[in-house]
Amino acid sequence: MTFLEFVLLLLVLYYVIYVVLWIVLDCNVALWYKSRFGVSLSTMRGQVVWITGASSGIGRALAVSLARHGVRLVLSARRQEQLEQVQDECLQVARGLLAQKDVLILPMDMLQLDKHQSALYSVLNHFERLDVLVNNAGRSQRANWTDIEIQVDRELFELDVFAVVHLSRLVVRYFLEQNGGRGHIAATSSIAGFSPVPFSATYCAAKHALNAYLMALKTELRKLDVTIFAPGPIATDFLLEAFTGAQGGKVGQSTANQKRLTAERCGELFAVALANKMDLTWCGLFPVNLMAYCARNATLTKILGQYMTEKTLNKIREGKL
Ligand SMILES: NC(=O)c1ccc[n+]([C@@H]2O[C@H](COP(=O)([O-])OP(=O)(O)OC[C@H]3O[C@@H](n4cnc5c(N)ncnc54)[C@H](OP(=O)(O)O)[C@@H]3O)[C@@H](O)[C@H]2O)c1
Ligand SMILES: *[C@@H]1O[C@H](CO)[C@@H](O)[C@H](O)[C@H]1NC(C)=O
Ligand SMILES: *[C@@H]1O[C@H](CO)[C@@H](O)[C@H](O)[C@H]1NC(C)=O
């Protein structure tokens, strides 16, 4: 074998291993690597992490993963009773690392922008510090592109984009005033936030917009850590509340029996991404994970798009393939 052939062989092998990893892993390779060999979650012990949308699903699972390692928490959402259950669960898994006062319940409606500042004051009054804001509250969508009422476009952006940007601005100002610009802003985006899927046009656009806002922030304030965490299909109740195309509509479906990554695993991977201050990461089962990789490559996206109907794409995103 000549030297050139040897180099070529290594190159081919490299790509083969990469593709195999994309098929067998449930997240991007860098995140998987950090989950094994990166900074341990216990380095975040004692930090204060504020999670919105903590009453269910991914937010709840993230809270539990962090509590296990003694991370102090602020749990926000509208449903107080659910937040109390999450608080109990956090205290249980913390096994003495956290006391009741270390897990603050802060009920809030993200859409009430005029209450954001007083919510931030409540956090600072209670803990006298804030290390990470995790913007997780949000609603998805199922609708045909042509049926979407413009009011729905506006309402979805109001929750998934503008409320997040508004709260983040207040927190970033606090980071600038108190910590010389050091701090950590994170958001639950979606794979649909960089790879559009059918029947969720407004949602795709909103998560794309959210990513752009956060990436722009990172280019301006270099000391700030920014984490965009992009899940694929996760087994949560999000379809109950998802927007349709009609104003006031909700999908009202369960995701039971669909092939989806568990919320627990998703929360664990999210926590790893935070502890390791990763910028953009994602998770999902095959073939979502492989597709997320392809979506980062314009050529492959075009080729895939030609061979996959909107029905196939939809099956994949609904966890039915
Ligand atoms: N599940 C998936 O497949 C998936 C995939 C990619 C991305 N995501 C993203 O993950 C995030 C969490 O979704 P999930 O799947 O965990 O669904 P979920 O269980 O429905 O969680 C949504 C959370 O957002 C909160 N929320 C909704 N509207 C709110 C408002 N106006 N003010 C304050 N909180 C509000 C809800 O709490 P209250 O109802 O108590 O207010 C709940 O805690 C969302 O941003 C979603 O876009 C989910
Ligand atoms: C989109 O339109 C088709 C055909 O009218 C319908 O069968 C389908 O249920 C619609 N999808 C959604 C998400 O509303
Ligand atoms: C995208 O994939 C094509 C085909 O495999 C490859 O030739 C190209 O270099 C890739 N581009 C990037 C930016 O990775």
Side-chain angles (χ1 to χ4, degrees), residues 149-166:
E149 292 170 10
I150 196 73
Q151 292 90 338
V152 173
D153 291 298
R154 294 209 167 101
E155 280 177 26
L156 197 154
F157 264 70
E158 205 61 57
L159 179 64
D160 287 12
V161 184
F162 302 133
V164 173
V165 170
H166 187 264

Side-chain angles (χ1 to χ4, degrees), residues 95-110:
R95 284 170 294 129
L97 290 179
L98 296 172
Q100 180 112 10
K101 66 167 180 17
D102 296 324
V103 183
L104 177 68
I105 291 178
L106 185 62
M108 71 186 280
D109 184 342
M110 282 298 289

Side-chain angles (χ1 to χ4, degrees), residues 157-177:
F157 264 70
E158 205 61 57
L159 179 64
D160 287 12
V161 184
F162 302 133
V164 173
V165 170
H166 187 264
L167 184 62
S168 300
R169 275 194 188 123
L170 299 179
V171 171
V172 171
R173 276 180 209 146
Y174 154 77
F175 287 149
L176 284 170
E177 283 158 18

Side-chain angles (χ1 to χ4, degrees), residues 107-221:
M108 71 186 280
D109 184 342
M110 282 298 289
L111 292 171
Q112 297 183 335
L113 302 193
D114 54 339
K115 304 257 172 71
H116 284 186
Q117 184 70 63
S118 65
L120 174 58
Y121 286 145
S122 304
V123 172
L124 297 175
N125 275 337
H126 187 86
F127 286 114
E128 291 179 337
R129 67 186 273 185
L130 174 62
D131 298 279
V132 189
L133 169 68
V134 181
N135 294 289
N136 168 74
R139 282 171 64 192
S140 189
Q141 181 188 42
R142 293 296 181 268
N144 284 304
W145 201 99
T146 39
D147 294 343
I148 301 171
E149 292 170 10
I150 196 73
Q151 292 90 338
V152 173
D153 291 298
R154 294 209 167 101
E155 280 177 26
L156 197 154
F157 264 70
E158 205 61 57
L159 179 64
D160 287 12
V161 184
F162 302 133
V164 173
V165 170
H166 187 264
L167 184 62
S168 300
R169 275 194 188 123
L170 299 179
V171 171
V172 171
R173 276 180 209 146
Y174 154 77
F175 287 149
L176 284 170
E177 283 158 18
Q178 300 294 318
N179 302 347
R182 263 176 285 274
H184 194 164
I185 299 283
T188 315
S189 181
S190 169
I191 288 181
F194 56 80
S195 170
V197 289
F199 310 119
S200 303
T202 318
Y203 180 72
C204 289
K207 293 296 189 185
H208 272 74
L210 178 61
N211 290 358
Y213 265 114
L214 293 177
M215 290 189 291
L217 169 64
K218 180 66 192 173
T219 63
E220 277 179 46
L221 299 177

Side-chain angles (χ1 to χ4, degrees), residues 15 293 296-300 303:
Y15 279 108
Y293 164 70
R296 313 277 297 155
N297 178 309
T299 315
L300 286 175
I303 296 171

